[in-house]
Structures are given as structure tokens and as C-alpha cells.
Amino acid sequence: MDRYFDALEGPELDTLRPIEELVLPEDRRWPFLLRYPISSFSICLGISSQAILWKMLAISPSTSFLHVSLRVNFVLWCISVALVVIVASIYSLKVIFYFEAVHREYCHPIRANFFFAPWIVLILLALSVPPSVDKTLPHSLWYVLMTPIFCLELKIYGQWMLGGTLRHFKMANPSTYLAITGNFVGAMLGASMGLKEGPIFFFAIGLAHYLVLFVTLYQRLPTNETLPKELHPIFFLFVVPPSIAAMAWARIQGSFDCGSRIGYFTALFLFLSLAVRINFFRGFRFSLAWWAYTVPTTSASLSSIKYVDEVTNLMTRSLVVILCVASVLIVTALLVTTAVHAFLLHDLFPNDIAIAISERPLKPIWKVFDLRHARAQ
């Protein structure tokens, strides 16, 4: 994995260093499957989180004044399932025909975080399942979904602690929050099924590593290489862990108590501190990174609904309506924009530099010159 740090640069390790060469031609468009990244599951995250939002709006007592029907949840859940099947099928073809490319994504210090996304999506689908489909999910489903997350965590967290040059301070990035989020959504699903020890176990793991990651990013980002404008949307991922942790702890404890409110208020402050900086999040071209706007806005809306169930007044209800409207508009706009770039402009999936670096570093020009000069003498 050190090879990625040697050959690539930039916060997302997606820019080739000047002395390096690619194993694929740079002047031609590569096959579609080679250009199809694991981060495509971020689209599924955005749509499936909407299914949960509309389910909560329909069943929550504090939002009954909106008169939301569960049919909306059913339609969105079906769309989410279909989208997951399509995205997963395409990526499965990449696994079959270009396994080396998938392996390189898995070994990539940043891309490895996105391998949590497929399992998080499945957990979100389980949380948003319409009551008309199934009211009680089997406990075995939770163990099936959390096993791969646990295995991935053994890899990721082990690298953070014992990885030498791959230690946490070097790999930390807002996208790393995906490695944390799986713990909290898994704890929320397990608690909703009536499980106790398993959800607390994953909640504890997520909380411990979230505190480390939060402090690391606060200390690291201002002094390290600044994220390019195209990646500014992933700053909103700061909001996801505390808002989902608040809901998970509420499910574990049975009420939105002080612990849940601490997480909720932290998430709300982070969301507002980012939302007011409009200029920071505009002026750059569209990419899949824009889908990082969706889950944070939706998770803030969901945790606000849980809070309004405990503290109901005009201000809290207005906050829920504003966040929910913003969440729906963002997802709708991104869905339309993604379709335009994918099917009309055909520029949604550019050549993926990160999976085409050479296995061995090239010797710098000056070293080659010195070697030939020495031989000539």
C-alpha cells in the first residue's frame, strides 16, 4: 500500500506524480468497468436514506401534521432496491473481469473506506423496509450484514494503529467517516430488532474511533494539504457519525436521552457551521463526490425528527420541515444531474488513475542520467 503514497498525490491519492507512468494509455478512454469506481455506491446511500426519511415522517407522532403516506416510503424503498441491484451487478462484473482493478481499489488507502458502503446501504434498506413488506426482520440478518463490516474494520483499524507509514494521521480524511458510520447504523438496526449486546459492542467501537478521527481531522486538515474544490462536499460527512450515533443510542436506551442529545446537538452545530459557508461549496465541476451532500442532510433530518418527538414546539417542527425539504431537493437535484452526466454528457466516469499505477516505481530522470554517465566513464 506504500506504493500508492509513492505514485500518487493529493488528499484522495488520485493524481499521478510527474515521475510516474500509468500501465494503461492516458490518451484513450478505458473500458467502462475499469472506470466504474466503488464510490458509485454513494448514489445508493443517498436514495436509500430517503426511504428511511419518508418512513420516519409517516410513522413519527411529531410529524403527523404533514400527513405523509407510507406509500412514498414503499415506492422509494423499491427504487432503492432496484438501484442497489443495478450498481452491485455492474461492480460484480468488474470483480469478475477486472479483479486486479478491484484489488487495487481495496488496497488504496482512501478507496478502501468505500467498501463499507455496500453493507451500509443494505442496513439502510433493512431499516427502511415498509411495514407492508415485513414488520419483523430475523436476527440472523443483522449478523449477516455486520460480519463483513467487522472484517473490514479489522483491516482498516489495524492499519490505523499498526500500519507504520499507513498510520491513522496519514490516512485520515473526511471520507474515512464511512468506516465509522457502519458501526452506528449497525447498532441502530440491531437495537431496533431487540438485540442488546451486539449493538452496544459496535456502538462502542464506533464511538472510540470516531473520537480519534474527529480530533485527528480537526488538527490535520488546516495544516496539511488542502482538499481541492471538487472534494469540498465530503466535508459534510462530519455530520453523519454524531447524528446517526444519536439515533442509535436512542434505540439502545429506548429514549432520546442526554447522551443522544449530545450527539444530536454536535451534529446540528457541525451542519449549520458548514451550511452557512455557501461560497466554500460552489464553483467546481460535478462528480460523484457531490453525493456526499445527501446522507449528512438526511441524517440530520432523521435525528431532528427523533428530537422533535421529545421536544415539540414551533421552532423544532420548523427545523424538521426545513431540513427535510432541503434533503429531498438535494437528492432530487443530484439524481437529475447524475443522469444528465451519465447518459447525455458521458463524463460521469473518467479514467481512474488510482488503479492504473505501475507496481514498481520508476527511477527519476536525474538518477538514470547519473547511472548512464557513471557507466560511460
Side-chain angles (χ1 to χ4, degrees), residues 19-239:
I19 64 171
E20 296 288 340
E21 291 184 1
L22 298 178
V23 297
L24 295 173
E26 298 183 57
D27 57 345
R28 287 191 298 174
R29 200 177 194 187
W30 304 344
F32 172 71
L33 291 178
L34 279 178
R35 295 182 286 111
Y36 193 78
I38 184 66
S39 55
S40 300
F41 281 95
S42 59
I43 302 175
C44 302
L45 286 172
I47 302 300
S48 58
S49 63
Q50 282 294 300
I52 300 180
L53 176 62
W54 286 90
K55 180 179 181 179
M56 289 287 293
L57 288 173
I59 65 176
S60 177
S62 61
T63 56
S64 58
F65 68 97
L66 295 175
H67 304 290
V68 176
S69 173
L70 277 171
R71 293 180 180 177
V72 182
N73 161 248
F74 179 80
V75 172
L76 286 173
W77 187 79
C78 292
I79 294 174
S80 300
V81 171
L83 184 62
V84 170
V85 171
I86 294 172
V87 174
S89 298
I90 296 174
Y91 201 80
S92 297
L93 292 175
K94 183 176 181 178
V95 174
I96 295 172
F97 294 105
Y98 298 104
F99 181 77
E100 176 59 25
V102 176
H103 179 258
R104 290 188 174 210
E105 282 194 294
Y106 177 73
C107 293
H108 192 280
I110 306 301
R111 294 282 184 87
N113 297 311
F114 287 93
F115 280 86
F116 287 90
W119 308 104
I120 295 175
V121 168
L122 294 178
I123 293 175
L124 294 179
L125 289 177
L127 285 168
S128 61
V129 62
S132 58
V133 175
D134 195 353
K135 293 183 178 181
T136 57
L137 298 174
H139 291 177
S140 58
L141 176 64
W142 184 82
Y143 291 101
V144 170
L145 294 177
M146 295 308 296
T147 297
I149 289 180
F150 180 72
C151 293
L152 285 170
E153 287 174 345
L154 292 178
K155 171 190 181 323
I156 299 296
Y157 298 163
Q159 288 175 352
W160 288 2
M161 293 185 292
L162 307 172
T165 57
L166 303 179
R167 292 179 71 86
H168 178 51
F169 72 89
K170 189 172 183 178
M171 298 173 60
N173 183 284
S175 63
T176 315
Y177 278 126
L178 285 173
I180 306 293
T181 303
N183 292 286
F184 294 134
V185 294
M188 185 162 60
L189 176 62
S192 66
M193 291 179 170
L195 300 173
K196 192 70 175 181
E197 298 302 318
I200 294 177
F201 172 79
F202 280 99
F203 186 91
I205 296 175
L207 181 61
H209 287 88
Y210 168 70
L211 295 176
V212 175
L213 179 60
F214 184 78
V215 174
T216 301
L217 289 178
Y218 251 62
Q219 292 178 334
R220 176 180 181 268
L221 288 178
T223 58
N224 209 291
E225 186 175 4
T226 305
L227 286 173
K229 279 190 173 184
E230 288 76 10
L231 296 177
H232 282 182
I234 69 175
F235 274 100
F236 268 88
L237 294 178
F238 270 92
V239 179

Side-chain angles (χ1 to χ4, degrees), residues 259-276:
S260 296
R261 295 183 189 193
I262 289 173
Y264 168 66
F265 291 141
T266 301
L268 186 61
F269 173 79
L270 291 173
F271 181 83
L272 294 176
S273 65
L274 291 170
V276 297

Side-chain angles (χ1 to χ4, degrees), residues 70 76 80 147 158 166 179 187 247 293 306 319 346 350 352-353 372:
L70 277 171
L76 286 173
S80 300
T147 297
L166 303 179
M247 294 185 288
Y293 288 129
K306 297 295 292 183
L319 177 63
H346 304 288
D352 192 0
I353 304 297
R372 290 178 178 176

